[in-house]
Amino acid sequence: MKIIVVDDEQPARERLCRLIRELHGYEVAGEAANGREAIALYTALKPEIVLLDIRMPVMDGLETAQHLSTDETPPAVIFTTAYSDHALEAFNTHAVGYLLKPVRKENLAASLAAARRSTRAQLQAVNDEIGASKARTHLCVHIRGNLELIPVEEIYYFRAEDKYVVLHHRNGQSLIEDSLVKLEEEFSDRFMRIHRNALVAKAEVSGLEQSGAGSALKLKHCEQRLSVSRRHLPTVRHFLKHQSLMS
Protein backbone atom coordinates (compact mmCIF):
# COMPACT_ATOMS: atom_id res chain seq x y z
CA MET A 1 0.00 0.00 0.00
CA LYS A 2 1.23 3.48 -0.87
CA ILE A 3 1.66 6.00 1.96
CA ILE A 4 2.55 9.68 2.03
CA VAL A 5 4.08 11.18 5.17
CA VAL A 6 3.16 14.76 6.09
CA ASP A 7 5.00 16.64 8.84
CA ASP A 8 6.65 20.06 8.97
CA GLU A 9 9.65 18.64 10.86
CA GLN A 10 12.10 16.76 8.65
CA PRO A 11 13.45 14.48 11.45
CA ALA A 12 9.88 13.34 12.18
CA ARG A 13 9.30 12.56 8.50
CA GLU A 14 12.58 10.67 8.25
CA ARG A 15 11.75 8.58 11.33
CA LEU A 16 8.30 7.63 10.02
CA CYS A 17 9.66 6.80 6.58
CA ARG A 18 12.31 4.56 8.11
CA LEU A 19 9.74 2.73 10.25
CA ILE A 20 7.41 2.23 7.28
CA ARG A 21 10.21 0.74 5.18
CA GLU A 22 10.84 -1.79 7.95
CA LEU A 23 7.26 -3.04 7.63
CA HIS A 24 6.12 -5.50 4.98
CA GLY A 25 3.51 -4.46 2.42
CA TYR A 26 3.86 -0.68 2.63
CA GLU A 27 5.62 1.84 0.38
CA VAL A 28 6.56 5.45 1.12
CA ALA A 29 5.27 7.19 -2.01
CA GLY A 30 6.24 10.72 -0.97
CA GLU A 31 6.68 13.36 1.73
CA ALA A 32 5.17 16.79 2.37
CA ALA A 33 5.93 19.54 4.89
CA ASN A 34 2.43 21.09 5.17
CA GLY A 35 -1.18 20.55 4.25
CA ARG A 36 -1.08 22.40 0.95
CA GLU A 37 1.86 20.32 -0.23
CA ALA A 38 0.03 17.21 0.98
CA ILE A 39 -3.04 17.91 -1.18
CA ALA A 40 -0.86 18.41 -4.27
CA LEU A 41 1.08 15.24 -3.51
CA TYR A 42 -2.08 13.24 -2.89
CA THR A 43 -3.57 14.42 -6.19
CA ALA A 44 -0.44 13.31 -8.05
CA LEU A 45 0.11 9.97 -6.30
CA LYS A 46 -3.30 8.86 -4.96
CA PRO A 47 -1.91 6.89 -1.98
CA GLU A 48 -4.15 4.63 0.07
CA ILE A 49 -2.96 6.04 3.43
CA VAL A 50 -1.84 9.48 4.61
CA LEU A 51 0.16 9.88 7.83
CA LEU A 52 -0.67 13.42 8.83
CA ASP A 53 0.77 15.71 11.48
CA ILE A 54 -1.77 18.05 13.06
CA ARG A 55 0.18 21.17 13.95
CA MET A 56 1.71 22.52 10.74
CA PRO A 57 2.15 25.92 9.09
CA VAL A 58 0.24 27.01 5.95
CA MET A 59 -2.58 24.50 6.57
CA ASP A 60 -2.95 22.20 9.57
CA GLY A 61 -3.65 18.50 9.55
CA LEU A 62 -7.31 18.61 10.51
CA GLU A 63 -8.21 20.97 7.67
CA THR A 64 -6.08 18.92 5.28
CA ALA A 65 -7.95 15.76 6.28
CA GLN A 66 -11.29 17.45 5.71
CA HIS A 67 -10.25 18.38 2.17
CA LEU A 68 -8.97 14.85 1.51
CA SER A 69 -12.28 13.39 2.68
CA THR A 70 -14.11 15.14 -0.19
CA ASP A 71 -12.30 13.07 -2.84
CA GLU A 72 -14.33 10.40 -4.65
CA THR A 73 -12.10 7.68 -3.18
CA PRO A 74 -10.50 9.33 -0.15
CA PRO A 75 -7.47 7.83 1.58
CA ALA A 76 -7.35 6.51 5.10
CA VAL A 77 -5.89 9.20 7.37
CA ILE A 78 -3.82 8.54 10.48
CA PHE A 79 -2.92 11.60 12.51
CA THR A 80 0.44 11.85 14.26
CA THR A 81 0.17 14.05 17.30
CA ALA A 82 1.74 15.18 20.53
CA TYR A 83 -1.56 16.57 21.82
CA SER A 84 -2.87 16.32 25.37
CA ASP A 85 -5.00 13.56 26.86
CA HIS A 86 -8.15 15.63 26.23
CA ALA A 87 -7.42 15.75 22.50
CA LEU A 88 -6.69 12.03 22.39
CA GLU A 89 -10.09 11.37 23.91
CA ALA A 90 -11.65 13.27 21.00
CA PHE A 91 -9.89 11.03 18.48
CA ASN A 92 -11.00 7.89 20.34
CA THR A 93 -14.58 9.08 20.77
CA HIS A 94 -15.04 9.73 17.06
CA ALA A 95 -13.10 6.69 15.81
CA VAL A 96 -10.42 8.73 14.06
CA GLY A 97 -7.02 7.06 13.80
CA TYR A 98 -4.01 8.63 15.48
CA LEU A 99 -0.47 7.89 16.61
CA LEU A 100 1.14 9.53 19.60
CA LYS A 101 4.61 11.00 19.06
CA PRO A 102 7.27 9.73 19.24
CA VAL A 103 5.80 6.97 17.09
CA ARG A 104 6.72 3.38 17.98
CA LYS A 105 7.09 0.76 15.28
CA GLU A 106 4.58 -1.64 16.82
CA ASN A 107 1.97 1.12 17.17
CA LEU A 108 2.56 2.22 13.58
CA ALA A 109 2.10 -1.34 12.32
CA ALA A 110 -1.16 -1.73 14.25
CA SER A 111 -2.53 1.63 13.01
CA LEU A 112 -1.66 0.88 9.39
CA ALA A 113 -3.31 -2.53 9.61
CA ALA A 114 -6.48 -0.95 11.03
CA ALA A 115 -6.45 2.15 8.81
CA ARG A 116 -9.85 3.24 7.53
CA ARG A 117 -11.36 6.30 5.93
CA SER A 118 -12.71 9.05 8.18
CA THR A 119 -15.85 10.99 7.33
CA ARG A 120 -16.11 14.77 7.26
CA ALA A 121 -18.52 14.60 10.20
CA GLN A 122 -15.99 12.67 12.30
CA LEU A 123 -13.19 15.09 11.42
CA GLN A 124 -15.29 18.15 12.17
CA ALA A 125 -16.32 16.70 15.53
CA VAL A 126 -12.67 16.17 16.49
CA ASN A 127 -11.83 19.65 15.23
CA ASP A 128 -14.53 21.19 17.42
CA GLU A 129 -13.62 19.22 20.53
CA ILE A 130 -9.92 19.98 20.58
CA GLY A 131 -10.57 23.67 19.97
CA ALA A 132 -8.88 23.98 16.58
CA SER A 133 -9.65 26.94 14.38
CA LYS A 134 -13.05 26.51 12.78
CA ALA A 135 -12.55 28.64 9.68
CA ARG A 136 -10.69 27.01 6.81
CA THR A 137 -7.64 28.70 5.32
CA HIS A 138 -8.35 27.20 1.89
CA LEU A 139 -11.38 26.01 -0.05
CA CYS A 140 -11.10 22.78 -2.00
CA VAL A 141 -12.54 22.48 -5.52
CA HIS A 142 -12.76 19.41 -7.73
CA ILE A 143 -11.36 19.80 -11.23
CA ARG A 144 -11.37 16.77 -13.56
CA GLY A 145 -11.18 14.40 -10.62
CA ASN A 146 -8.38 16.27 -8.86
CA LEU A 147 -8.38 18.39 -5.71
CA GLU A 148 -7.30 22.01 -6.05
CA LEU A 149 -6.92 24.45 -3.17
CA ILE A 150 -7.97 28.10 -3.33
CA PRO A 151 -6.54 30.25 -0.49
CA VAL A 152 -9.36 32.14 1.23
CA GLU A 153 -7.27 35.31 1.15
CA GLU A 154 -7.33 35.18 -2.67
CA ILE A 155 -11.13 35.04 -2.94
CA TYR A 156 -12.88 38.26 -4.01
CA TYR A 157 -16.50 37.20 -3.59
CA PHE A 158 -18.97 34.31 -3.54
CA ARG A 159 -22.12 34.31 -5.66
CA ALA A 160 -24.93 31.74 -5.56
CA GLU A 161 -25.97 30.46 -8.98
CA ASP A 162 -28.51 27.64 -9.33
CA LYS A 163 -27.41 24.69 -7.15
CA TYR A 164 -23.84 25.88 -6.72
CA VAL A 165 -21.83 28.76 -5.37
CA VAL A 166 -19.29 30.34 -7.69
CA LEU A 167 -16.19 31.67 -5.96
CA HIS A 168 -14.40 34.43 -7.82
CA HIS A 169 -10.73 34.55 -7.00
CA ARG A 170 -7.37 35.81 -8.15
CA ASN A 171 -6.97 33.14 -10.80
CA GLY A 172 -10.53 32.90 -12.10
CA GLN A 173 -13.73 31.18 -11.05
CA SER A 174 -14.52 27.85 -9.39
CA LEU A 175 -17.65 25.99 -8.37
CA ILE A 176 -18.16 24.75 -4.81
CA GLU A 177 -21.05 22.98 -3.10
CA ASP A 178 -20.97 24.94 0.16
CA SER A 179 -24.04 27.10 0.78
CA LEU A 180 -23.77 30.87 1.21
CA VAL A 181 -25.28 30.51 4.67
CA LYS A 182 -22.52 28.12 5.73
CA LEU A 183 -19.82 30.29 4.17
CA GLU A 184 -21.18 33.42 5.84
CA GLU A 185 -21.16 31.71 9.23
CA GLU A 186 -17.65 30.31 8.81
CA PHE A 187 -16.03 33.44 7.36
CA SER A 188 -18.02 36.24 9.01
CA ASP A 189 -14.82 38.00 10.04
CA ARG A 190 -13.57 38.20 6.42
CA PHE A 191 -16.71 38.37 4.26
CA MET A 192 -19.97 40.27 4.47
CA ARG A 193 -23.38 39.70 2.92
CA ILE A 194 -24.33 42.36 0.33
CA HIS A 195 -27.19 40.54 -1.36
CA ARG A 196 -29.19 37.37 -0.82
CA ASN A 197 -26.97 35.73 -3.44
CA ALA A 198 -23.58 37.28 -2.69
CA LEU A 199 -20.82 37.55 -0.07
CA VAL A 200 -17.85 39.85 -0.64
CA ALA A 201 -14.40 39.93 0.93
CA LYS A 202 -14.19 42.94 3.23
CA ALA A 203 -10.59 43.53 2.22
CA GLU A 204 -11.69 43.89 -1.43
CA VAL A 205 -14.30 46.61 -0.91
CA SER A 206 -13.24 49.97 -2.36
CA GLY A 207 -16.46 51.97 -2.56
CA LEU A 208 -20.14 52.28 -3.35
CA GLU A 209 -21.70 53.85 -6.41
CA GLN A 210 -25.25 54.63 -7.44
CA SER A 211 -26.86 53.83 -10.77
CA GLY A 212 -30.30 53.60 -12.26
CA ALA A 213 -30.48 49.99 -11.12
CA GLY A 214 -29.62 50.86 -7.50
CA SER A 215 -26.44 50.58 -5.46
CA ALA A 216 -23.34 48.69 -6.59
CA LEU A 217 -20.13 47.79 -4.81
CA LYS A 218 -16.72 48.50 -6.33
CA LEU A 219 -13.87 46.07 -5.68
CA LYS A 220 -10.13 46.67 -5.59
CA HIS A 221 -8.98 43.85 -7.84
CA CYS A 222 -12.07 43.10 -9.91
CA GLU A 223 -13.83 45.24 -12.52
CA GLN A 224 -17.16 43.56 -11.83
CA ARG A 225 -19.67 45.74 -9.94
CA LEU A 226 -21.74 43.82 -7.40
CA SER A 227 -25.36 44.75 -6.70
CA VAL A 228 -26.15 45.66 -3.11
CA SER A 229 -29.71 44.92 -1.99
CA ARG A 230 -31.74 47.48 -0.04
CA ARG A 231 -31.79 45.12 2.92
CA HIS A 232 -28.00 44.99 3.14
CA LEU A 233 -27.24 48.56 2.08
CA PRO A 234 -27.13 49.96 5.66
CA THR A 235 -24.55 47.31 6.63
CA VAL A 236 -22.37 48.16 3.64
CA ARG A 237 -22.59 51.90 4.32
CA HIS A 238 -21.70 51.36 7.98
CA PHE A 239 -18.69 49.25 6.95
CA LEU A 240 -17.46 51.89 4.49
CA LYS A 241 -17.92 54.67 7.06
CA HIS A 242 -15.91 52.69 9.60
CA GLN A 243 -13.21 52.05 7.03
CA SER A 244 -12.92 55.75 6.21
CA LEU A 245 -12.57 56.61 9.90
CA MET A 246 -9.84 54.02 10.30
CA SER A 247 -7.85 55.28 7.31
Side-chain angles (χ1 to χ4, degrees), residues 79-116:
F79 292 103
T80 59
T81 178
Y83 268 129
S84 66
D85 291 343
H86 170 69
L88 300 184
E89 288 176 8
F91 288 109
N92 285 324
T93 299
H94 301 285
V96 174
Y98 73 91
L99 284 165
L100 190 61
K101 293 182 177 181
V103 176
R104 294 177 175 272
K105 182 178 177 180
E106 59 270 25
N107 294 337
L108 173 63
S111 292
L112 292 176
R116 58 185 178 275

Side-chain angles (χ1 to χ4, degrees), residues 56-75:
M56 295 184 294
V58 184
M59 186 165 71
D60 68 29
L62 284 167
E63 181 179 347
T64 303
Q66 289 185 20
H67 292 316
L68 290 172
S69 72
T70 67
D71 195 28
E72 291 183 2
T73 55

Side-chain angles (χ1 to χ4, degrees), residues 136-242:
R136 289 166 287 179
T137 60
H138 297 69
L139 293 185
C140 190
V141 299
H142 296 251
I143 300 177
R144 294 183 292 276
N146 293 325
L147 304 182
E148 182 174 316
L149 294 174
I150 309 296
V152 173
E153 62 188 18
E154 295 182 5
I155 298 172
Y156 300 149
Y157 63 95
F158 300 100
R159 175 176 282 168
E161 297 180 10
D162 298 325
K163 296 181 180 180
Y164 297 92
V165 169
V166 181
L167 62 89
H168 297 254
H169 53 91
R170 183 181 299 173
N171 295 314
Q173 302 177 14
S174 302
L175 291 177
I176 56 175
E177 296 183 5
D178 300 74
S179 69
L180 276 185
V181 172
K182 180 180 183 298
L183 292 167
E184 182 179 20
E185 179 181 343
E186 183 175 0
F187 300 111
S188 59
D189 61 328
R190 303 184 70 159
F191 290 81
M192 67 176 171
R193 176 84 68 160
I194 63 167
H195 196 280
R196 64 180 176 79
N197 68 354
L199 297 172
V200 65
K202 296 176 182 178
E204 282 298 313
V205 175
S206 66
L208 190 67
E209 61 182 24
Q210 301 298 319
S211 66
S215 301
L217 203 62
K218 296 185 293 182
L219 303 183
K220 295 176 182 177
H221 299 99
C222 182
E223 294 182 1
Q224 179 74 34
R225 297 294 190 263
L226 303 180
S227 296
V228 179
S229 68
R230 291 183 180 179
R231 177 183 177 184
H232 295 95
L233 187 56
T235 299
V236 173
R237 284 177 171 161
H238 176 77
F239 173 79
L240 287 169
K241 181 179 179 181
H242 178 73

